[in-house]
Amino acid sequence: MKPMEIPTFQPRLKVLNRDQTLAIHAAALEILDKTGFKMEHPDAREILVDAGCRILNNDWLRMPSYLVEEALRSAPTQITLYDQKGNKTMPLANGNFFYGTGSDATFTLDLETGDRRRAVKKDVGNFARLVDGLENIAFAMSMGNPEDVPIEYIYVYVFAEMVKNTNKPIVFIADSGKDIAKIYDIACQVAGSEDALQRKPFILNYSEAISPLRFPENVMERLMFCAEKKIPVCFPSGSNAGGGAPVTLAGAMALGIAENLVGLVVHQLVGKGSPFLFGPNVSTLDMKSSVVSYGCPEWSLTQAALADMRDEIYGLPIWAFAGASDAKVMDAQAGAEAMFSIITALLSRSNLIHDVGFLEYGSTSCLEMVTMANELISMSRFFADGIPVTDQTLAIDAIERVARGEPGSIFLTDDHTFENFMQSLFLPQLLDRSRYDSWKSAGAMDFYNRCNLEAKRILSEHQVVPKPDEVLKRINEILQNL
Amino acid sequence: MSDIKALNEAVIKGDIQTAVSLTQNAVDAGTKAQEVLDQGLIAAMDQVGDKFAKGEMFVPQMLRSAKAMQECLKLIKPQFQEGDLTSKGKVVIGTVKGDLHDIGKNLVAMMMEGAGFTITDLGVDISADTFVQKVQEVEPDILAMSALLSTTMPGMRETIETLQKAGIKDKVMVMIGGAPVTANFASEIKADAYAPDAGSAVIEAKKVLGIS
């Protein structure tokens, strides 16, 4: 008899119907054609006008829809990031999802004291090393704006620090065309050459316009630099509901998408076919504290909606966030908010998911939080894999063996259990299921404490494959000549 | 007097239309402008400030109340002699050079205005020289600077140094804020006050000027 072959349904989240996606897209096009946008980079303005944009006044331009259509046609539907050793680790396409940390936190929770303090360069290195040692964290971002490096070249220093402490792909930030060129130099040293970096990019630049509809010169400088050099880039403006954008989520999405499309059009005009990761950041401005929330359900909802728009309209891999919180310490709120965004980002198959490990609405980084998220991602991944239904998993034979077997037959001793339990069940590493007495005698530790110990263990035991001396020497030369 | 109480309530509710017509009534009935201002408008905004600080009011409601107050103020302004209209203080505010973000700065400006300060908003991307020039021109009690990007924070230091060179650092209280700014950074660059958000900006401003 032929074995049963039923494809396994993998749970997916859908939050918009087709008509809704088309209406939001149409609104974005209307914003660009009627309201226009403020393009402050003279070259970008000229390129856009040459391509068919019309001048409203001064640096305000209007964009006809056909430019958007053309850019969507030329942008690649798949972006592949490699690790720093040239292995293909992050094919951003279809239903693939990858989690990573975030950038630019002012503070960090000290691993030893638990106190909130200013981030220093060593923290950036520690986060990169932790990422390197965690199975479910696929890429690194700086997680800190260290106070002990020269602020003019802060992004070059944090990039060098990440390169020294991880071999995973890096999502990086730059300030202008000046520092991004230095970062690019470092990346070329790591990859071996400019050509090697273009063929197997391990970097992706994060850049953002200012909502509503403002495109500063330094931001466009970076975007055009990446387009020319074919460095993968994302361009999510902060069109947060009630802050940079209208308070209603549909309008905030339309605005954020419009801003993304301007970026995409300039990007494709400068570097046709260069990789562009699509998607705005649509969170909310908290109506009491006026912070941009990192734990709200709205951000998860809008990025799930964006995933639907990707599937219906854009066809480009998308940018997202998860595993962050507005809580000030890694408490129950932090766990609840982190899990909410992690599982929804996964269920909507967002492709590149950043900000894992943030507390305090992105102002504080937390090593324990990244460690916790690693486990929550495992749990979510297990859920999203669904339930394979085959002869082997239906296990009729095992049922018969145990039910009708010798007295004392139990599933735990059956071969079927031994052969299948590792694949069939989620086996937690840090989530505690021990019996009360053993939990108590092991120190009665809560989740935060267990994550603290695990983060410390990884930082002390995990060996990052070091870069060749020659490469390190050249990186240090670049830093010295800044 | 009951009209003043109703005005007070209208401002707290953010009912601009009612607040304006009650102010007009009070003016027509010959109520003293200072009384309308103190008991009707500023007292209402003090309550709004309290409620907001306690989390009983949301930002858009607070801003609507501030707008109601401003509209009422327009009606009674003509009754004051030049310079007679009491203000909690003059504030020059802007986002530092290289930084084009203005949501936080605007929020601070609006809340301070609602609390009774007179605001000169310079906008975004303001150089040290422009800040100093405006301080010389406006002679404010407070110079408030905002930065969202850590890379633009040195602009704050530069402005304070330029104030020192111009010999007017002691004539104005410098207050700074914005996402990457910390209390330590404020004391490091010799700013007089630091406020982590718009609500505390008002409180800090009153504190450094020694007013309630």
Side-chain angles (χ1 to χ4, degrees), chain A residues 8-62:
Chain A
T8 304
F9 178 75
Q10 299 190 318
R12 277 292 276 268
L13 185 62
K14 195 169 158 62
V15 302
L16 294 180
N17 60 36
R18 180 164 170 77
D19 288 347
Q20 285 173 297
T21 64
L22 293 174
I24 293 172
H25 178 58
L29 295 178
E30 186 176 331
I31 291 166
L32 296 180
D33 191 26
K34 307 290 183 213
T35 309
F37 54 94
K38 193 167 193 285
M39 177 53 68
E40 296 174 359
H41 193 295
D43 293 349
R45 210 157 53 225
E46 201 180 312
I47 290 166
L48 285 168
V49 171
D50 284 350
C53 282
R54 283 201 269 162
I55 300 170
L56 260 172
N57 55 50
N58 300 323
D59 44 12
W60 276 87
L61 302 179
R62 287 173 46 187

Side-chain angles (χ1 to χ4, degrees), chain B residues 4-23:
Chain B
I4 292 286
K5 190 161 177 273
L7 171 59
N8 203 289
E9 278 166 15
V11 171
I12 293 171
K13 263 196 244 162
D15 181 347
I16 297 175
Q17 216 180 349
T18 307
V20 165
S21 80
L22 286 170
T23 303

Side-chain angles (χ1 to χ4, degrees), chain A residues 383-408:
Chain A
F383 184 88
D385 279 344
I387 302 176
V389 182
T390 63
D391 287 331
Q392 188 193 356
T393 66
L394 286 169
I396 306 282
D397 295 348
I399 293 169
E400 184 162 324
R401 274 197 304 276
V402 172
R404 299 185 56 185
E406 301 286 310

Side-chain angles (χ1 to χ4, degrees), chain A residues 232-268:
Chain A
V233 66
C234 63
F235 197 66
S237 52
S239 58
N240 299 300
V247 76
T248 41
L249 298 183
M253 284 192 72
L255 178 64
I257 287 170
E259 289 161 344
N260 233 254
L261 290 171
V262 171
L264 177 71
V265 167
V266 173
H267 185 261
Q268 292 301 303

